[in-house]
Amino acid sequence: MGEWEKVFVQNLAVPPHGQRRRARPPGSTAFRCVLKHLEGAALAQGAEYQLRLSLFDATYHHFFGRTWRSSWRAARATPPRPARVAFNETIYFHTSLNHPGIAAVVEVVATAGKGDGGSQQLSCGFGLIPLFGSGPEATDAATEDRALKLYHGTPRALLHPRFQDPVEKNKYLTVMEKSHLQYSLKLHQPLEMIFHLLPENLLISGLQTIPGLLPAHGDTSDCLQKPRLMKPVTCYLERLSVRLYPSLEEFEEELLDLLNSDRLLQANTAPDGDGVAVRERRLHVGVHNGLRFVQAPQVAVLVPETEAARGSCRGLPGSGDRGAGQALVLRSRIHLSEMVPHPAFGVCFQLEYVFCSVGRVGGKALPGGEAADMRSVRWALWSPVPGAGEAEVVLPLRGGACRGPCQTLVYRTPPSGRSSRQGEHAESGTVQFHVSTGSEEHLVTAAEILRKDRDKSEKPPTPPLSPPVPLRTAASPRGPGLSVSQLSVPPRGRGQSPVPHGHSPRQDGGITHLEAALGSPDPEPCADSDQLRALPFAPLQVPIAAVGLQAGSSRTQLSRASLARLHAAGFPQILDHNQEPVEISEPTDPASFSLRLEEADPLQGNEIILQFLAFGRDAWDSAEGTWPRTIFLTFQFYRFPPVTTPRLQLVSTDMGPAAGAAVPAQLLVRVNKDGTLGTGPPGLQLKYMVDPAFLRAGEQRWFVRYLAEHSLQIDVWDGDSLLLVGSAALKLESLLRQGRAAVRTHHELEVATTEYEPDVTVMGREALRHGALRPLGVRVAMRGRLHLCLANIGHPCEEMPGQLPSPLPSRSRLGPVPDGAGSVLAGSWLPINAAAGRRVSRARRLAEVDGELAAVLCSRRPEARLAPPAPPSEAAAARRRKLRRMALVRQQEDAGGGRTPQLSGWHEQRARHVRDLQIIDAYREHVKGESISRVLSQAITATHTVHAVLGTAEFFEFTLKNPYGVQHTVTIDVDHPELSVILDPREWRHFKELTKSVTPVEEEMFHLRDDLRPQVYLRPNETVRIPFKYQTFSADPAVVAAQGPAGLGAGADTVASSLGKSGAGRMKHIQVSFQVSGGKPIALLRVKVEPQPHVVDQTFRFYHPELTFLKKTIRLPPWHTLPGAPVGMPGGEPEMFVRCSDPDIICETKNMGPGEPQDIFLKVAGGPSPQIKKFFVAIYMDAWLAAPARIWQFYLHSLQRLDVSCTAGQLARLSLLLRGTPAPRRVRVFTSHPQELQVDPDGAFLLPANGIQELYVGVRPRRAGSRFIYLNLVDVESHQLVSSWLLCLSCRQPLISKAFEISLPAGGGRGCNKRITYTNPYPSPRLYFLCTNRPDLLQFKEDSFEVAGGEVYTIGLRFAPSQSVGEEEILIHINDHEDKNEETFCVKVLYQ
C-alpha cells in the first residue's frame, strides 16, 4: 500500500446530512480547540483515559466527519484535589455548516479490565461544545478557558429519538457531579491558508502530518499559527489514452445493456424498443493529497482512437462507429500546476460516461427524453516515482466496491450468469500517458527534504486518527458508524442494478467512537486495512533466567592428601582477638540461625577475612579455552567499595608447571610489577572491619541479615587475555558466629561462565501465546574450582572517648525545630572554656573571621597586594602580633632613645589604623543587610543528614510550627527533585509502619498549587509534622566507575577500608523553604545527603555489537525466593516493580496475571567499542518503592562486530585491521575459543604508533548454530585492553554422507579402537586432513593421510571412555588440502 492510499484510508469521513449538503453556505469557519485537562471525583487513580472528539448535527441527529482520538493518559491524584488527567491537546478543523445545531462532542473513554484477564475500553461520559451561537452572529470564541459539563453515558444517547436540542431541555441526561473538562475554543484565521489541503469537518492534531505542509518550527502548542506550504511543481500530461478490455466495443455494449435493463426495472415496464446511448466520454484529472483535491479536477473529453485519427467532429456515434477504435484518446495535453513533491500527492483520473435515451428509429436522441445521466466507470491514481523526470506511465484502472477519491460509486462487473464469455476481464483496463515537468527538478526528489525536516522535529507526531472502518460489500449496506438517518434507509433487493445513482449515500464512514472497543472487534476485518490491533504485552525476546549462580557448597571435592598439601603451602595464619589460631569448622545449618544470639554477642565488632588459596579444574569440567596462567578477581562485599585484586599467578603445589586437561588445585601467588613472583606467602588475604562505631543506628541488624540471606559473587578474569574465565557465588551464612569468638570455613566454589547465544526468533502463534516462551539460548559451562577460606573474628566494641552519638536511623528520623531558635547540631559547638556552667569563647578580629574583609584590607597595603592572605587562625594571629611587638622594640633600641622616629612611626601606624577602621566601617555598612538576613536565616534553619543508598527511600518527618498568632497557608518549596513531600496518606502510613513511628497521620493534609508546590494550612501557633522522602535512582559517578571490571592498575590493598567516610567527598545539600504569603519564610530545612555504596545482589554481563540496541528479557525469580518476602500473603503473589539507575535505558515489567511469571524488559543503547556501560536495576515488592528487594548490576560491553558465515568442521579465513594508538605497543591477540579460532601472528608483536596492521583469522567451528566468539587485543606490558571484537558465527551443519553406531562401556576403562574406510573419488592422488567435533572423545591414528586415485584408505579411530551414561554424536570431517570439507561421517556412540 502506497503513501497516498495510507493517508486516504486513514482519513475517510462520514459526510454531513443530505439536507445540509443541499443548502451549504459558501464560506467556511476555522476553529482551534485546546483540550487541557480532565478533573473529577469519578476518575480512578492510575487509570488511563482518552478523549475522543466528533462533530454532531443535533437537528438531524447525525454524526459526521471523523472521530479524533487523543493519546492515553494516566490520572494523578493530588489530595485534597480530585484526580486530574492532563491532556493539553490542540485540534484544528473548519466547517461551512454555520448553524446553532452543529456541535463538537467530547467523549471520555477509560481502559477497564475484563474477567478473562484482558482489557476493554468503556465510555465514562460525554459533553457538548457548541460551535456557533444561536444569534445572528457567529460564535466569538472565548479567549479564556471554559469548563465543560459532562453527562453520564455514551454519545450514542444523542441518537435517541427523544433527544431534544438544546441539551438543557433533556431530562434523560444526567450531569456528572464534580467533574468537568477544561478547554478553550477559538477562531483560527491562519487555517484558511491550508483550506485547499484540509477537507471540511476533518479533525486533526497540530502535530499530525498534512501532505503539502512543512512541519512546524518553534512553539508546538500552536503548530498551525504560521503554516508553511511546500513549493509546487508544474507537470504536463501528454498523449493520454484509455484502454478498456476485452475491447471498447464489447465493454460499452455490455454496459449499455445493463443500463437499459436497469431503466426498464425501475420503470416496471416491458421492453419498449428504446435504448441508452453514449453521449460523451469524460476524464476528470486532478491532484489529490490523500485528504482532498487540491483544486477542482479538470474535465477533458475523450474520443475513440479512430475518430481522433480521421478528425471527425464529435456527435452521437452509432453502434457501428463505437467498435471502430479500441482506445479512448485525449487530443490535448493537461497542465497541472498544483503538484507538490510529497509521497502522498497523486494524480487522480476518473472516467465518466454521459448517457442519454435514444428512440427506435435511426438511433436518434428523443427530443422529449430524459436528461443526460452521468456514471463513473473507472478510476486510477498515479503516485510519482522518486527521481522520475520525463517518462511513459501505464496505470491499471480500478472499479467496483473499493473507495475512490471522487466519492462516487463506480461500475463493477455484473454477475457471471449475465456476463459475456469474456466477462471476467471486464474490470481490467489501463490509462497511459507521457509525463514531463515544467522545470529541471524531478517530482519527488524533494520528498527526501521533507523526510529530513520531519526527522528534525523534536516532538513525535500524535497517534493517528481513529482507524478506518472496514469496507463492507454491497450485500451488507449497514456498516458501522452510520447515523440514525442513514440506518433508516431500507436495503436494496437482490435485483438491484450494479450501477446505482452516483449520489447514493455512502455505505461506510469513519465515526468509530460509538462502537470502537466497546464491543467485540470485527471478526472479519477488511484485508486492505493497514491498521494493526495491538496484542497484549508479549516480548519477542526469549527471556533468560535470573536465578543467578548456584552458591558453592562448603564440601570440598579434594582428597585428604590434596588438602594436606594445600594447607601446608604456608598460607598466613588466621588468629582471633586473643591471638590464637582459628580452626576450620563445618558451616552451620542456616535453619539454626538466631538473630537474638547475634544481638546478644558481646563481641559486636566483626573482622571479615577472605583468603583466596588456589584455583584448579577437574577432569569433567569444560576444557574450552586455554587454562589461564594468571588470574585476577573482582567482587564487592556489602557496602564496601568494589575490589579488583592484583594479578595472581597459578603455581602447582610442587612449584612446577601444570599440564593435562584435569588441572589440580594450583596456588595463587602474587605477581610483582616486573612480572616476577612475590616472595611472600602464597594466597591473597583481604580484611574488612565492620565496627558498630562506624555503622548507622540499626545497621548492625541489616549487616547480620545480609550475611544470612545474601551471596557474594566473584568474577574470575584471565590476567593475560583480560577475558572472563567465569563467575562463582558464595553463601555468606557461614560468617555468622552465633555467639562464638571466631569462625573459619573452607569453600570450594564452582566457577562457571554463562554464554548468551544470539536471540532466537519466535515465529507464529507461539510468539502471541503468553507462557510459551522459556529461557533458551543460555549455555552454562564449568571452567574450574576456586578454593578460599572465610573467617569472622569477633572484637569487643569500645566507644572512643569524646565520640559523638550515632545519628538516628536514616529511614526513621524526626527533624526537630526548637522553639524560637534554629536547630542545635549535636557536638558541632565546642566551647573553648567552660566554667560554672557558662560557655565562653575568645573574641577574634573581624579580619580573622571574614575572608572578604581580610582581602580588602590587604589590598590597601602596598606590601601585601601580591598575595592577600586567607583569614589567619587564632594561633597564627597571636604569633604575628608577638613578632610585630618584637620588631617595634628593636626599632626603639636602634633609634637610641630618640623620640622623632618613634613619633613618626606611631603617626604612620595610627593613620593606617584610622584608614582600616574607615574601610571596616564602610564594609560593615555594605554587608549589614546581608549579614542580618543570614543570621536570621540561621535562626530558623534546621539541618538534617540523610545517608542515601541507591533505590532506598529515606523517610523523615520535619516539625513545622506557625510562630504567628494568625493562621497562614504555608507553601513548601524544595529545590531538588529527589527530595519530595509525601502527599498520599497511604504512602505516609506505609513508611511509618516500616519505621515503627508513633506520630499521627493526617488525612488530606496538603493541597497543590498550580505550579504543583504543596501547601499546608496552619492555625495560630500550631505545630504539624511534614513527611519527607528522599530517594535517588541515579548511581553516583564514583560508585559506577568503581564497580566496573577495572583493568589491572594499582591493585588492591590487603586490608580494605572501613565504612566510616564513604560518602564524605560527594555530599550535596538540598534547601527546603516553608513560605507564607508574599514569599516570607517561617522555617528553613537544610538536608545534607551523604551517598553510601549499595549492595549488589547479582551481576549480569552482556557482550553486544557496538552502536546497537541491546534488547533483553530477564525472567524474575519467584517472589517467595527473594529475601525479606512476607510469608503467607493474603493477596497472593505481589506485583513487582523495577527502576533503573540510567534514565536513558528503557526498563519495565508488567504483571501478566496470577500464576504467570514476571519478566523485565531492557532496551539499552550501546556505545562505541570498547566502551563498557554500567547501570543498576532495583526490584521492589511494594508499590511505594520503599526498599529494593534486589539490586542487579549490569555491564554492557560494546564490541566491534564481525559476522562470519561458515560450515562446521571447515576452515573459514578472514582478516581484521588493527589500528595503532598514539604510542607504539607490544600487543598480543587472545580469543575465548582457541581450539576453534586461530590468529596470525599468534604471539606478541609490535603495533606501530598510528599505524595499520592486518590480522589474519581462521575459524573452524565444532558445532552448528549461532554463537559468539570474543577476540581481545591486549598490551602485554601494561596489561591494558587495546581493542575488542565480537565474532557472530552463523555455522551450518555439513552434509552427512555416512552414519555409524557403536556401543561402549561407561565409567572409565581403556577405550576402544575402530576402523573405517574412505575411498578417494578422484583419479589423482589427494591429501586429506581429519578433524572432529569431539576431540575429548575421539582421537585419530593419523591426522592426515594421502591416498592414490580411486584407492581405499583405512582410518584408525580411538574412542576415549566416558564418565557418564548417555548418547553422543561424533562427527568426523574429511577435508582436502585447502581445508574444505569433502565428506562428513557421523558416529553415534552409546555409552552404557
Side-chain angles (χ1 to χ4, degrees):
M1 182 179 291
E3 184 70 19
W4 178 89
E5 291 180 281
K6 292 180 181 179
V7 176
F8 177 76
V9 173
Q10 291 176 2
N11 294 279
L12 292 174
V14 172
H17 194 269
Q19 297 295 332
R20 298 289 188 194
R21 285 179 288 176
R22 295 190 186 95
R24 180 176 298 181
S28 185
T29 307
F31 292 94
R32 172 177 175 263
C33 181
V34 181
L35 304 178
K36 296 191 175 180
H37 64 266
L38 180 67
E39 185 172 325
L43 301 180
Q45 166 73 10
E48 292 188 338
Y49 293 87
Q50 183 188 59
L51 295 182
R52 302 181 181 180
L53 190 66
S54 306
L55 297 179
F56 180 70
D57 191 343
T59 304
Y60 298 99
H61 294 196
H62 179 82
F63 283 96
F64 62 95
R66 184 172 185 82
T67 300
W68 173 89
R69 302 185 180 195
S70 73
S71 56
W72 290 96
R73 304 292 175 87
R76 296 289 184 265
T78 54
R81 288 192 174 184
R84 172 185 290 190
V85 185
F87 288 94
N88 296 322
E89 297 273 3
T90 305
I91 304 98
Y92 302 88
F93 64 97
H94 67 98
T95 181
S96 61
L97 305 180
N98 191 342
H99 189 273
I102 303 300
V105 179
V106 181
E107 182 185 12
V108 181
V109 180
T111 301
K114 297 172 65 177
D116 55 357
S119 62
Q120 60 179 348
Q121 298 173 6
L122 299 178
S123 179
C124 300
F126 68 98
L128 277 80
I129 302 176
L131 300 181
F132 302 96
S134 57
E137 75 282 359
T139 300
D140 185 10
T143 57
E144 69 276 3
D145 296 346
R146 293 182 176 181
L148 178 65
K149 292 190 300 183
L150 299 178
Y151 300 94
H152 287 283
T154 71
R156 283 181 289 186
L158 302 177
L159 301 180
H160 197 276
R162 296 186 180 181
F163 174 81
Q164 297 179 359
D165 186 30
V167 181
E168 288 75 14
K169 296 182 180 180
N170 289 273
K171 62 181 179 180
Y172 302 99
L173 297 182
T174 306
V175 178
M176 298 175 63
E177 296 295 334
K178 299 181 181 180
S179 298
H180 69 275
L181 172 67
Q182 201 78 12
Y183 79 100
S184 66
L185 181 68
K186 300 180 182 179
L187 299 178
H188 197 69
Q189 190 174 0
L191 199 65
E192 296 177 1
M193 296 177 55
I194 61 171
F195 274 6
H196 64 289
L197 301 176
L198 183 65
E200 283 187 39
N201 309 321
L202 183 64
L203 308 174
I204 63 168
S205 171
L207 297 177
Q208 182 181 349
T209 302
I210 301 177
L213 197 65
L214 292 173
H217 285 175
D219 186 15
T220 56
S221 61
D222 192 357
C223 297
L224 298 183
Q225 179 64 32
K226 294 181 179 180
R228 300 185 302 147
L229 299 175
M230 298 181 65
K231 183 180 179 181
V233 178
T234 303
C235 63
Y236 302 91
L237 307 182
E238 301 172 304
R239 303 193 296 272
L240 190 146
S241 63
V242 177
R243 293 184 178 273
L244 299 171
Y245 296 98
S247 66
L248 180 61
E249 177 185 6
E250 294 182 42
F251 178 84
E252 293 184 351
E253 268 184 3
E254 193 166 19
L255 178 59
L256 293 175
D257 290 341
L258 291 171
L259 285 172
N260 193 40
S261 301
D262 183 64
R263 181 184 64 84
L264 296 176
L265 182 64
Q266 290 183 356
N268 196 16
T269 60
D272 53 0
D274 295 342
V276 181
V278 178
R279 170 179 288 185
E280 202 173 54
R281 306 168 185 87
R282 299 177 180 176
L283 185 67
H284 298 254
V285 183
V287 176
H288 199 281
N289 71 335
L291 302 178
R292 61 165 298 165
F293 282 102
V294 180
Q295 293 183 10
Q298 305 179 35
V299 181
V301 178
L302 299 177
V303 296
E305 190 175 11
T306 54
E307 182 178 338
R310 61 176 185 261
S312 61
C313 61
R314 176 167 47 93
L316 294 176
S319 61
D321 298 328
R322 289 196 310 270
Q326 297 302 316
L328 301 174
V329 297
L330 181 65
R331 295 172 177 172
S332 59
R333 75 174 185 174
I334 297 177
H335 172 212
L336 299 175
S337 60
E338 65 269 22
M339 193 64 191
V340 171
H342 189 281
F345 268 68
V347 181
C348 178
F349 304 87
Q350 181 190 9
L351 180 60
E352 186 182 71
Y353 271 54
V354 182
F355 302 98
C356 64
S357 299
V358 295
R360 69 187 72 176
V361 181
K364 300 294 184 180
L366 297 178
E370 298 178 357
D373 189 13
M374 293 176 290
R375 306 283 178 168
S376 296
V377 178
R378 292 286 183 269
W379 69 278
L381 187 118
W382 173 60
S383 295
V385 180
E390 295 189 2
E392 291 289 336
V393 181
V394 179
L395 298 176
L397 294 174
R398 309 183 192 183
C402 60
R403 296 288 296 271
C406 301
Q407 306 296 332
T408 58
L409 297 176
V410 183
Y411 171 73
R412 58 167 297 172
T413 304
S416 58
R418 299 182 54 192
S419 176
S420 62
R421 61 187 179 89
Q422 296 98 349
E424 60 269 19
H425 302 289
E427 289 187 356
S428 60
T430 57
V431 56
Q432 182 175 355
F433 56 92
H434 176 81
V435 62
S436 60
T437 57
S439 60
E440 296 181 357
E441 61 181 350
H442 299 309
L443 282 180
V444 196
T445 52
E448 286 76 13
I449 302 176
L450 174 68
R451 198 172 298 114
K452 292 179 181 178
D453 202 359
R454 186 188 305 129
D455 294 339
K456 292 179 181 179
S457 179
E458 294 183 358
K459 283 193 175 183
T462 57
L465 302 181
S466 55
V469 179
L471 301 180
R472 306 294 179 126
T473 60
S476 177
R478 297 190 179 185
L482 301 181
S483 62
V484 170
S485 60
Q486 292 167 313
L487 292 176
S488 62
V489 179
R492 299 182 181 269
R494 292 183 179 273
Q496 174 190 356
S497 168
V499 188
H501 291 285
H503 296 288
S504 300
R506 301 220 306 271
Q507 298 179 1
D508 51 24
I511 302 293
T512 60
H513 75 286
L514 299 181
E515 294 84 14
L518 299 181
S520 60
D522 190 357
E524 296 180 359
C526 177
D528 295 335
S529 176
D530 63 338
Q531 295 290 332
L532 298 180
R533 180 170 58 91
L535 294 172
F537 175 79
L540 293 184
Q541 291 80 24
V542 179
I544 60 176
V547 296
L549 296 170
Q550 294 296 327
S553 173
S554 60
R555 298 180 180 177
T556 179
Q557 302 294 332
L558 294 180
S559 63
R560 293 184 181 273
S562 300
L563 281 175
R565 286 194 298 269
L566 186 63
H567 290 287
F571 295 109
Q573 241 184 352
I574 298 178
L575 306 176
D576 60 9
H577 71 283
N578 295 325
Q579 301 302 312
E580 295 181 0
V582 181
E583 299 296 332
I584 295 180
S585 60
E586 289 292 330
T588 58
D589 186 7
S592 61
F593 162 68
S594 173
L595 180 61
R596 184 174 301 176
L597 275 178
E598 293 290 335
E599 293 178 347
D601 191 353
L603 304 177
Q604 286 294 308
N606 295 278
E607 179 185 354
I608 308 298
I609 298 178
L610 278 71
Q611 195 176 63
F612 299 95
L613 307 178
F615 186 55
R617 180 172 64 191
D618 291 337
W620 50 82
D621 289 341
S622 175
E624 292 186 7
T626 57
W627 182 249
R629 189 179 62 90
T630 61
I631 64 171
F632 65 95
L633 313 172
T634 58
F635 59 91
Q636 182 186 5
F637 175 75
Y638 191 49
R639 295 192 297 107
F640 290 92
V643 172
T644 300
T645 68
R647 292 173 64 221
L648 305 170
Q649 186 161 347
L650 303 180
V651 179
S652 60
T653 53
D654 55 357
M655 303 306 291
V663 181
Q666 295 180 315
L667 302 181
L668 302 178
V669 180
R670 296 188 63 164
V671 181
N672 298 326
K673 294 183 178 180
D674 56 357
T676 60
L677 293 181
T679 57
L684 178 68
Q685 182 170 302
L686 299 177
K687 295 181 181 180
Y688 293 92
M689 301 299 299
V690 184
D691 196 329
F694 295 101
L695 298 179
R696 292 175 287 171
E699 191 180 359
Q700 179 73 10
R701 175 174 294 191
W702 298 350
F703 177 70
V704 173
R705 287 288 185 186
Y706 169 78
L707 297 181
E709 298 172 351
H710 287 75
S711 300
L712 177 67
Q713 181 164 333
I714 304 171
D715 294 331
V716 183
W717 300 80
D718 191 323
D720 297 324
S721 66
L722 303 185
L723 290 168
L724 181 66
V725 177
S727 301
L730 171 64
K731 290 184 179 180
L732 299 175
E733 59 193 9
S734 59
L735 290 174
L736 296 172
R737 291 185 286 107
Q738 293 290 279
R740 291 171 289 182
V743 291
R744 179 187 176 192
T745 54
H746 181 272
H747 300 267
E748 181 179 340
L749 305 181
E750 296 178 344
V751 177
T753 180
T754 304
E755 297 180 1
Y756 302 104
E757 298 181 0
D759 293 338
V760 182
T761 304
V762 184
M763 303 297 294
R765 295 183 178 270
E766 290 298 315
L768 308 180
R769 179 172 63 87
H770 181 73
L773 301 180
R774 292 293 179 261
L776 300 175
V778 179
R779 178 173 174 267
V780 179
M782 304 304 300
R783 299 300 188 194
R785 297 178 182 273
L786 180 65
H787 298 264
L788 75 159
C789 275
L790 285 184
N792 185 359
I793 311 300
H795 290 276
C797 181
E798 298 179 1
E799 294 193 5
M800 298 170 55
Q803 179 185 354
L804 299 181
S806 300
L808 294 174
S810 180
R811 287 178 52 190
S812 174
R813 199 172 304 177
L814 302 179
V817 174
D819 298 336
S823 64
V824 178
L825 303 182
S828 62
W829 202 92
L830 298 178
I832 297 177
N833 185 18
R838 293 178 301 169
R839 293 185 297 180
V840 180
S841 61
R842 184 182 294 111
R844 292 183 292 176
R845 295 174 181 266
L846 288 176
E848 299 175 6
V849 297
D850 195 325
E852 186 177 355
L853 177 60
V856 172
L857 293 176
C858 292
S859 63
R860 302 291 300 175
R861 301 172 184 173
E863 66 275 8
R865 285 182 182 177
L866 295 178
S873 62
E874 187 175 351
R879 182 174 183 273
R880 274 193 291 271
R881 285 196 300 270
K882 293 178 180 179
L883 291 176
R884 193 180 300 113
R885 292 171 184 171
M886 182 64 68
L888 289 176
V889 171
R890 290 180 179 177
Q891 184 179 358
Q892 293 177 2
E893 293 177 352
D894 295 340
R899 299 188 56 85
T900 303
Q902 182 179 2
L903 290 175
S904 67
W906 281 108
H907 283 305
E908 291 179 2
Q909 185 177 5
R910 180 178 179 81
R912 186 166 60 250
H913 287 171
V914 171
R915 202 163 47 243
D916 290 348
L917 289 175
Q918 293 174 352
I919 293 174
I920 292 174
D921 186 59
Y923 176 79
R924 292 179 64 184
E925 290 294 331
H926 177 70
V927 300
K928 180 183 295 184
E930 180 183 351
S931 300
I932 295 175
S933 176
R934 183 172 62 253
V935 172
L936 292 177
S937 298
Q938 291 176 354
I940 61 172
T941 299
T943 304
H944 181 72
T945 303
V946 170
H947 302 277
V949 180
L950 175 71
T952 302
E954 305 292 338
F955 166 77
F956 64 93
E957 292 177 337
F958 178 78
T959 304
L960 177 64
K961 181 179 179 180
N962 182 9
Y964 302 102
V966 294
Q967 66 273 10
H968 276 292
T969 299
V970 181
T971 302
I972 305 174
D973 188 11
V974 185
D975 65 353
H976 200 281
E978 293 177 349
L979 180 65
S980 60
V981 180
I982 299 179
L983 305 177
D984 195 327
R986 296 172 299 173
E987 183 179 5
W988 189 2
R989 191 174 293 108
H990 175 75
F991 278 102
K992 292 182 75 65
E993 292 175 356
L994 288 179
T995 56
K996 296 180 174 55
S997 301
V998 295
T999 53
V1001 175
E1002 184 175 346
E1003 300 287 340
E1004 298 184 357
M1005 182 175 178
F1006 304 96
H1007 67 277
L1008 294 181
R1009 297 186 359 154
D1010 294 336
D1011 55 1
L1012 300 182
R1013 289 191 298 173
Q1015 290 182 330
V1016 59
Y1017 175 79
L1018 292 182
R1019 300 180 183 90
N1021 300 316
E1022 183 185 11
T1023 301
V1024 296
R1025 298 187 183 275
I1026 308 298
F1028 283 94
K1029 178 183 70 173
Y1030 179 84
Q1031 190 169 26
T1032 178
F1033 294 104
S1034 60
D1036 190 84
V1039 176
V1040 173
Q1043 295 193 2
L1048 294 177
D1053 297 330
T1054 56
V1055 180
S1057 61
S1058 65
L1059 293 171
K1061 301 179 180 181
S1062 57
R1066 303 183 300 273
M1067 181 185 296
K1068 58 183 175 182
H1069 302 274
I1070 302 175
Q1071 186 83 11
V1072 183
S1073 175
F1074 301 88
Q1075 304 171 359
V1076 296
S1077 58
K1080 182 179 179 181
I1082 64 171
L1084 297 175
L1085 173 63
R1086 188 186 186 194
V1087 180
K1088 295 181 180 180
V1089 180
E1090 296 183 0
Q1092 300 290 332
H1094 52 84
V1095 176
V1096 175
D1097 298 288
Q1098 192 167 341
T1099 301
F1100 294 87
R1101 294 187 186 275
F1102 297 110
Y1103 297 84
H1104 203 65
E1106 62 177 347
L1107 303 177
T1108 58
F1109 282 97
L1110 170 72
K1111 298 179 182 180
K1112 283 292 180 184
T1113 300
I1114 303 176
R1115 179 144 295 171
L1116 287 170
W1119 66 275
H1120 54 79
T1121 63
L1122 298 179
V1127 179
M1129 288 189 60
E1133 296 187 3
E1135 185 177 0
M1136 295 187 184
F1137 305 88
V1138 292
R1139 290 293 185 272
C1140 185
S1141 63
D1142 191 342
D1144 296 329
I1145 294 176
I1146 297 176
C1147 177
E1148 59 184 7
T1149 181
K1150 292 187 179 180
N1151 189 7
M1152 306 305 298
E1156 293 291 340
Q1158 293 192 41
D1159 297 335
I1160 292 180
F1161 173 73
L1162 287 174
K1163 182 179 179 181
V1164 190
S1169 174
Q1171 186 186 87
I1172 302 175
K1173 178 171 287 189
K1174 297 169 278 286
F1175 59 95
F1176 303 91
V1177 171
I1179 304 174
Y1180 298 87
M1181 296 176 60
D1182 63 308
W1184 303 114
L1185 311 184
R1190 284 290 209 200
I1191 293 183
W1192 288 349
Q1193 180 177 242
F1194 288 84
Y1195 293 108
L1196 176 58
H1197 300 251
S1198 298
L1199 311 179
Q1200 302 179 57
R1201 175 169 183 158
L1202 184 63
D1203 293 306
V1204 180
S1205 180
C1206 53
T1207 304
Q1210 180 173 304
L1211 185 65
R1213 297 178 175 87
L1214 58 148
S1215 62
L1216 299 174
L1217 289 181
L1218 306 181
R1219 301 185 182 276
T1221 59
R1225 292 176 178 267
R1226 185 172 177 81
V1227 297
R1228 184 179 177 182
V1229 179
F1230 297 92
T1231 175
S1232 59
H1233 296 72
Q1235 294 86 356
E1236 303 180 53
L1237 189 144
Q1238 296 83 32
V1239 294
D1240 185 22
D1242 188 16
F1245 59 94
L1246 183 66
L1247 183 63
N1250 298 319
I1252 296 178
Q1253 184 164 337
E1254 195 168 13
L1255 176 70
Y1256 299 96
V1257 179
V1259 183
R1260 191 200 307 272
R1262 291 181 176 178
R1263 66 176 189 272
S1266 299
R1267 56 200 179 101
F1268 296 141
I1269 292 182
Y1270 311 109
L1271 206 68
N1272 279 1
L1273 182 65
V1274 181
D1275 189 327
V1276 297
E1277 296 175 348
S1278 62
H1279 299 282
Q1280 293 180 347
L1281 185 63
V1282 179
S1283 188
S1284 188
W1285 286 269
L1286 178 68
L1287 273 65
C1288 304
L1289 296 188
S1290 177
C1291 184
R1292 302 178 299 272
Q1293 184 79 357
L1295 182 63
I1296 306 298
S1297 56
K1298 289 184 181 181
F1300 306 89
E1301 182 174 345
I1302 62 173
S1303 298
L1304 296 176
R1310 299 175 55 187
C1312 178
N1313 294 324
K1314 296 290 182 181
R1315 292 179 297 174
I1316 58 175
T1317 59
Y1318 176 73
T1319 304
N1320 182 12
Y1322 299 99
S1324 58
R1326 293 295 179 100
L1327 177 65
Y1328 295 99
F1329 296 91
L1330 299 175
C1331 61
T1332 178
N1333 65 328
R1334 295 298 303 270
D1336 56 330
L1337 298 179
L1338 175 64
Q1339 290 86 33
F1340 299 103
K1341 183 178 180 181
E1342 297 175 350
D1343 292 334
S1344 63
F1345 63 92
E1346 187 173 1
V1347 59
E1351 296 294 331
V1352 178
Y1353 182 80
T1354 301
I1355 302 174
L1357 309 175
R1358 178 170 180 81
F1359 293 92
S1362 176
Q1363 300 293 333
S1364 59
V1365 177
E1367 178 180 309
E1368 296 286 349
E1369 287 190 356
I1370 302 176
L1371 299 181
I1372 301 175
H1373 304 285
I1374 304 176
N1375 299 344
D1376 61 5
H1377 64 285
E1378 295 181 353
D1379 223 334
K1380 294 182 179 179
N1381 185 251
E1382 288 281 350
E1383 285 194 64
T1384 299
F1385 298 161
C1386 178
V1387 181
K1388 181 181 293 186
V1389 183
L1390 300 177
Y1391 291 99
Q1392 299 174 351

